[in-house]
Amino acid sequence: MASNVPMFSAVSSSARQLLLLLRCIGFTKKALVRISADGLRFSTEEGSTMESFVFLEKALFTSYNYNPPTPLSSQDDPLGPPTFEINLISLLETLNIFSLSDPNMAKRMIGGHDDFATHRLNRHAGTNAFSDRSMGLIGVCTFNYDGPGTPLSIHMSEAGVATTCDLTTYEADHAEEIPFGRNDLCLKTIMRASSLLDAITELSFMTPASVAIHASPTSSRVNPNLSFSATGALGSATVDFTTTTSSDMPILETFNCATRITANYRFSALKAAQRAMAAATKVSVRMDRQGVLSLQFLIEVDAAGSASGGGGGNGGQALLVAFVDFRYVPLVEGEGEGDMDREGGGTDMGFLSLFLIG
Amino acid sequence: MRFRADIRNVHTFTKLTASLATLGHIAWVRLDNKDVRYTVIPDTGTQVWSVITIDTIFDNYTIQSAAPDNTINLEVPLAVLQRALKSAQNANAASIRLTKKDNIPLLSLTITTDTIRTSQPTATAPSQDQFAGNGTSSNTNHSHPDGPPNDFREESADFFGARQDHETVVTQDVPIRVLAAAAVEGLHEPRCREPDVHIVLPNLVQLKSISDRFTKLALATKSSGSGRSAGGFATQSAAAGPKLELSANMHGCLRLALHTDSMNISSLWTGLENPELDPEQVAEGEDGLANHPSTRMKALGDSTGQHGEEGWATVRVEGRDWGRVLSVGRLGGRVIACFCNQHALILYVFLPAGEEAVGGGESVLTYYISSFAA
């Protein structure tokens, strides 16, 4: 195929920003990549009971060029957007490499111990990428893809070194998306992502196997609007949220619940979304009648390149946003352990109940 | 057999010892009238043979032995020496001498630290936990009743505390073995054929940081393939570690690459210097130079390094071992790498000359690294 123009090429001014977003879904080895004219979609899934995806729209890139593959003859159907699988860990590590600033290392002649370099690498590998402003320079990197059979190639030049990474692309086995009835919701609420993170963190101290999410249209002490509860070997815990508050900035910014509903999910699956919870400002929590849970995280991405999370960005610069979605299939009766029964009493393992008023 | 010297540059000595210590547990140290040689020959991995001029580290160097040139051969435990040198980090003066205690030969370091103290009692010297393994450490506190401190006091009896200036003397003993001439006779530098490519390496600190990232990448992608086993560093031998491919050509290009199933990544440096060979150093002089492998390699390849595999000499090094070798970058200095394609890599590290270098001698550390098969 003598085409001089690659099918896809894009330039990003910040490898760190991409790394941050992709890390949110980085709980498994492989990721599915779909290139379209509007952006790149990365998706991961685990056991077909949980899936996540992040859409990197073209506005996040400094330049974005997509030339759709043309069918061989005009009678053929237009080819779908190129979809392939890559090793996500390799991609994350490569972006990690590209987001470390080399010129600073070159200056560091004194005290350049192995320990320091390792420490820096380890520091970037953790979830706490935000406090790392001191690391300064962000890498400009170029993506290229030339069709099935060719690798996804990422290139970066810095301080006299040019680094190229060719990621092997594998054929994608098309798994079906988890069906979500977005028009048939039982629960829809938008809340602060940090509160959700706090809730999950609290529950994780109990090392539970599953977590129950309960929603109720009206709020009472026994039945708060939204509650997360879990039972584990170390005890049980419940985190309750309510809309009855006089505060101007309630934790549950919006809350719509048609009927009372409870559903259980594998706790480790929810825990896998922790990075997204930490990176995001807000999260939209939705549950449909089947109990399928959708968490959609809104992550603010600075146009200049670094992402900011936590309690809301300042005004001023126009901020881009990216969305990271998680979808969970509920546990069927008997699958999970330690289901919390709201109506009956608690278990006899002790009871820790936290009430959060927004 | 006597040896005594002042340590002129503690930081250089410390960094040198630290770099050598990463490669092996013990070093063969050879002292004579002309220079100081450190040699580390571990069971597996890179060997280093270094020749350090006396002025680089020592001052007031006196040596005497029965052997010709007053040669003394010692076996020194590097980790112990490294810990002992930690006491000297902020020293005013330090000296080293060969001595014996209880019939155990040792290298004794005497370290004098001038500490300016406020009314706090001296806490540093007695609480310093930098003991050599089998050695001893003795502290003597000096204080000065009147007037300004005098740097080289003898032992004093009283401790007044709460004074402005204190001088602390710490002694660190490093147990060693004295090697007979016969023991070291059989040790020779590895012989290698004439290298195909020689090139000056870029800033070693930068090269090391990139190499370490590649090694980490290889380990991360490998461990994920085997079900995310949590870092098997201790169990992996050198032979099992991730292999980095290092290549260079005679047009100033250096390339570091890693190949795995899921990805290929490579970093390319261009515009590096290829040093000219000195005809006097090459066997057969000018003719030898014309037939030298590197001259032939010059005819191949180009300075962009992008077009094809011609002209490249390649070796495969183990990631972590290579990272340890590169730690010598903290000493500064020029590094020339000589590549024997698919066979071995020899690094010549030229240390910057000391402040008052006498006679223009240069210290060289030579690293011999074997290449792994593909």
Side-chain angles (χ1 to χ4, degrees):
Chain A
M1 180 174 93
S3 155
N4 291 333
V5 183
M7 183 193 289
F8 168 69
S9 75
V11 177
S12 162
S13 65
S14 170
R16 271 188 65 207
Q17 152 192 328
L18 297 179
L19 175 64
L20 202 97
L21 294 171
L22 288 172
R23 268 225 184 100
C24 294
I25 63 168
F27 52 83
T28 181
K29 195 171 115 184
K30 296 193 224 160
L32 205 68
V33 184
R34 193 157 70 203
I35 307 179
S36 70
D38 301 317
L40 292 177
R41 185 180 187 273
F42 290 81
S43 59
T44 53
E45 55 110 31
E46 193 178 321
S48 69
T49 55
M50 167 193 179
E51 67 182 19
S52 69
F53 43 93
V54 58
F55 189 70
L56 303 174
E57 55 168 345
K58 61 193 279 188
L60 292 174
F61 294 88
T62 316
S63 84
Y64 190 94
N65 299 299
Y66 173 59
N67 302 297
T70 49
L72 290 173
S73 86
S74 55
Q75 259 123 13
D76 287 344
D77 297 327
L79 297 168
T83 308
F84 50 85
E85 207 174 73
I86 50 156
N87 184 318
L88 184 60
I89 297 177
S90 301
L91 174 61
L92 291 177
E93 288 297 332
T94 304
L95 289 174
N96 194 11
I97 286 178
F98 286 177
S99 50
L100 293 172
S101 57
D102 257 282
N104 282 355
M105 276 307 265
K107 284 182 208 138
R108 199 167 279 279
M109 287 299 291
I110 314 162
H113 301 287
D114 294 356
D115 296 344
F116 183 72
T118 318
H119 169 68
R120 284 185 73 208
L121 288 171
N122 287 339
R123 206 145 53 103
H124 280 278
T127 52
N128 198 14
F130 308 102
S131 57
D132 235 13
R133 307 272 167 172
S134 59
M135 286 306 136
L137 288 179
I138 41 188
V140 171
C141 57
T142 310
F143 292 80
N144 277 295
Y145 178 67
D146 213 8
T150 65
L152 176 66
S153 159
I154 313 175
H155 177 89
M156 172 152 124
S157 280
E158 44 164 9
V161 196
T163 305
T164 307
C165 176
D166 290 328
L167 288 163
T168 316
T169 54
Y170 299 90
E171 242 183 62
D173 32 323
H174 294 269
E176 285 194 0
E177 278 187 20
I178 297 178
F180 182 64
R182 65 185 81 238
N183 296 319
D184 193 24
L185 296 175
C186 268
L187 162 70
K188 178 174 160 77
T189 173
I190 296 182
M191 61 190 288
R192 286 183 228 155
S194 56
S195 307
L196 182 60
L197 178 63
D198 291 340
I200 298 294
T201 310
E202 275 304 324
L203 297 181
S204 69
F205 295 146
M206 301 297 149
T207 59
S210 71
V211 55
I213 301 182
H214 174 83
S216 158
T218 55
S219 179
S220 70
R221 196 171 189 284
V222 177
N223 265 323
N225 287 110
L226 181 64
S227 127
F228 297 80
S229 54
T231 304
L234 300 175
S236 54
T238 307
V239 182
D240 297 332
F241 297 89
T242 177
T243 52
T244 50
T245 168
S246 52
S247 158
D248 279 339
M249 290 189 47
I251 295 184
L252 299 178
E253 290 175 25
T254 71
F255 185 82
N256 296 296
C257 181
T259 59
R260 298 229 301 249
I261 184 168
T262 303
N264 296 289
Y265 306 92
R266 218 164 28 92
F267 185 73
S268 58
L270 247 68
K271 205 156 158 9
Q274 267 183 329
R275 279 214 173 98
M277 292 179 203
T281 15
K282 299 188 200 187
V283 56
S284 144
V285 180
R286 293 174 297 169
M287 200 188 295
D288 72 6
R289 282 195 196 274
Q290 309 299 320
V292 176
L293 177 70
S294 155
L295 300 176
Q296 191 178 61
F297 295 93
L298 183 137
I299 302 179
E300 284 171 1
V301 170
D302 192 21
S306 50
S308 55
N314 308 328
Q317 296 176 327
L319 291 173
L320 295 169
V321 294
F323 291 98
V324 177
D325 282 74
F326 280 79
R327 246 178 236 177
Y328 301 96
V329 170
L331 293 170
V332 177
E333 285 300 304
E335 267 184 350
E337 294 169 15
D339 294 347
M340 278 293 288
D341 184 354
R342 290 300 309 180
E343 306 309 320
T347 64
D348 45 55
M349 278 199 266
F351 203 86
L352 171 68
S353 199
L354 303 169
F355 286 84
L356 285 177
I357 315 267
Chain B
M1 181 177 292
R2 284 195 336 192
F3 162 63
R4 197 214 164 274
D6 292 331
I7 302 179
R8 163 207 287 269
N9 196 333
V10 173
H11 292 294
T12 306
F13 192 25
T14 308
K15 285 190 256 190
L16 176 65
T17 307
S19 295
L20 297 174
T22 59
L23 294 171
H25 298 297
I26 53 173
W28 163 36
V29 179
R30 183 184 184 283
L31 305 153
D32 64 19
N33 281 341
K34 299 181 300 233
D35 49 47
V36 178
R37 297 178 189 216
Y38 294 87
T39 305
V40 182
I41 307 176
D43 295 327
T44 56
T46 304
Q47 293 187 9
V48 54
W49 293 68
S50 63
V51 179
I52 314 284
T53 58
I54 293 175
D55 321 312
T56 308
I57 318 177
F58 297 126
D59 231 350
N60 299 330
Y61 179 89
T62 52
I63 188 166
Q64 189 190 42
S65 88
D69 276 338
N70 288 322
T71 304
I72 299 180
N73 288 299
L74 305 172
E75 187 185 271
V76 179
L78 287 170
V80 178
L81 178 61
Q82 195 182 357
R83 280 203 297 277
L85 284 170
K86 280 206 178 115
S87 306
Q89 278 303 312
N90 300 314
N92 248 6
S95 67
I96 188 169
R97 66 182 210 281
L98 188 60
T99 183
K100 234 186 211 191
K101 262 183 208 167
D102 301 327
N103 257 346
I104 302 172
L106 29 90
L107 282 175
S108 185
L109 271 98
T110 308
I111 299 157
T112 311
T113 313
D114 216 37
T115 52
I116 312 268
R117 296 250 136 245
T118 57
S119 54
Q120 303 270 341
T122 49
T124 55
S127 67
Q128 251 178 359
D129 210 16
Q130 315 288 355
F131 279 69
N134 300 328
T136 59
S137 173
S138 61
N139 303 328
T140 325
N141 281 326
H142 298 255
S143 63
H144 314 282
D146 317 291
N150 201 346
D151 278 354
F152 303 106
R153 276 295 184 103
E154 297 301 302
E155 290 88 315
S156 114
D158 308 316
F159 169 56
F160 287 102
R163 282 291 172 170
Q164 284 298 319
D165 304 313
H166 291 291
E167 194 179 82
T168 312
V169 177
V170 175
T171 307
Q172 291 276 8
D173 293 330
V174 180
I176 50 151
R177 277 203 317 143
V178 177
L179 300 170
V184 301
E185 208 133 290
L187 297 174
H188 293 291
E189 283 188 64
R191 299 263 170 81
C192 185
R193 63 179 169 83
E194 292 293 332
D196 301 301
V197 169
H198 36 267
I199 191 167
V200 178
L201 292 184
N203 182 331
L204 240 55
V205 177
Q206 184 200 39
L207 181 55
K208 177 171 161 60
S209 83
I210 293 188
S211 302
D212 286 344
R213 295 161 172 180
F214 279 30
T215 307
K216 182 174 175 269
L217 197 78
L219 290 169
T221 49
K222 190 151 65 137
S223 67
S224 71
S226 59
R228 283 207 177 267
S229 55
F233 280 90
T235 55
Q236 276 178 345
S237 65
K243 307 292 186 294
L244 302 178
E245 199 182 77
L246 195 60
S247 327
N249 71 12
M250 284 303 286
H251 297 273
C253 300
L254 176 74
R255 186 180 62 200
L256 180 67
L258 172 69
H259 302 293
T260 65
D261 290 333
S262 58
M263 62 185 284
N264 289 330
I265 186 168
S266 65
S267 285
L268 178 70
W269 284 262
T270 53
L272 301 173
E273 184 195 331
N274 296 99
E276 294 290 335
L277 282 176
D278 183 2
E280 284 167 31
Q281 302 268 338
V282 179
E284 301 158 34
E286 290 285 349
D287 290 334
L289 194 58
N291 292 328
H292 199 269
S294 64
T295 315
R296 277 196 293 260
M297 288 297 260
K298 251 193 232 181
L300 304 166
D302 60 50
S303 58
T304 63
Q306 302 284 11
H307 308 281
E309 283 305 307
E310 281 190 343
W312 288 96
T314 304
V315 295
R316 251 163 293 277
V317 295
E318 201 269 316
R320 283 164 299 187
D321 186 49
W322 176 239
R324 290 193 286 258
V325 168
L326 289 176
S327 70
V328 77
R330 66 183 91 165
L331 287 161
R334 199 165 130 94
V335 183
I336 297 183
C338 296
F339 287 75
C340 297
N341 192 30
Q342 306 294 346
H343 181 57
L345 174 64
I346 307 169
L347 290 188
Y348 296 98
V349 180
F350 296 92
L351 294 186
E355 284 131 19
E356 301 152 19
V358 176
E362 229 182 346
S363 301
V364 187
L365 290 101
T366 309
Y367 289 82
Y368 293 91
I369 307 163
S370 282
S371 171
F372 285 88

